[in-house]
Amino acid sequence: MSEQNLDSDFQKKSSLPVDIMKLLMVLAFILLAGAISHYWQGVIICLGASVGMFLAERSGSSRRREFLFLLGIPLLSYWLVLMSSFLLYSDDVTAAQVSLWALIGLCTGIVPAALSVVVLSIASALIDKLTGLCLLKYDWNHIH
């Protein structure tokens, strides 16, 4: 490992408490937006997207792992919201219905999951430009 890689790894690890505070601020802003709008399904997906972006920043050098965090966590959030609402509002549920809704949730959740990451990236960039407060900063152009 080169000295530059060691320095960047040390900087990433040393700023972890600061980054966690920034993540907590983002989560608080998202929850505040949910309290104002009462659109809790979207809030849960955005919470998953913000955690996914945070983990993708910290994932190291694997593009596959970054992709898993960026899309997988918001997709899981969407899927859990869909499955919980399906199970809460259905009386007699068969295993076939649960399987079908699980598959539908995974197929239809890709677009909202990706959109939530894009929206959070744009919102974070706007907040950074307007206030100078850099909350979520995922570098889309880095090459490993």
Side-chain angles (χ1 to χ4, degrees):
M1 223 184 221
S2 71
E3 187 174 316
Q4 185 180 11
N5 288 342
L6 289 173
D7 287 341
S8 67
D9 288 342
F10 178 74
Q11 287 174 349
K12 280 184 179 181
K13 290 177 184 175
S14 66
S15 66
L16 187 62
V18 173
D19 290 342
I20 289 176
M21 290 304 295
K22 288 180 182 180
L23 176 65
L24 291 176
M25 285 176 53
V26 170
L27 296 176
F29 286 143
I30 292 170
L31 288 173
L32 179 66
I36 292 170
S37 69
H38 297 290
Y39 182 60
W40 292 105
Q41 285 104 359
V43 167
I44 292 171
I45 296 167
C46 285
L47 290 173
S50 62
V51 170
M53 286 178 69
F54 176 77
L55 292 174
E57 283 180 60
R58 300 262 169 219
S59 68
S61 62
S62 173
R63 263 300 195 202
R64 202 173 281 150
R65 191 178 312 148
E66 289 175 358
F67 181 74
L68 175 69
F69 288 138
L70 283 175
L71 192 59
I73 294 177
L75 179 60
L76 178 65
S77 301
Y78 176 86
W79 184 79
L80 288 173
V81 166
L82 181 76
M83 290 306 294
S84 64
S85 62
F86 170 70
L87 293 173
L88 285 173
Y89 297 117
S90 299
D91 292 331
D92 294 326
V93 180
T94 65
Q97 290 173 327
V98 171
S99 298
L100 178 65
W101 275 100
L103 179 64
I104 289 172
L106 288 176
C107 293
T108 61
I110 293 172
V111 172
L115 283 176
S116 65
V117 171
V118 170
V119 165
L120 281 175
S121 295
I122 292 170
S124 182
L126 284 173
I127 289 171
D128 186 22
K129 291 287 183 192
L130 294 174
T131 65
L133 182 63
C134 180
L135 296 174
L136 288 174
K137 190 74 169 183
Y138 180 75
D139 184 14
W140 294 96
N141 296 322
H142 72 285
I143 299 173
H144 293 289

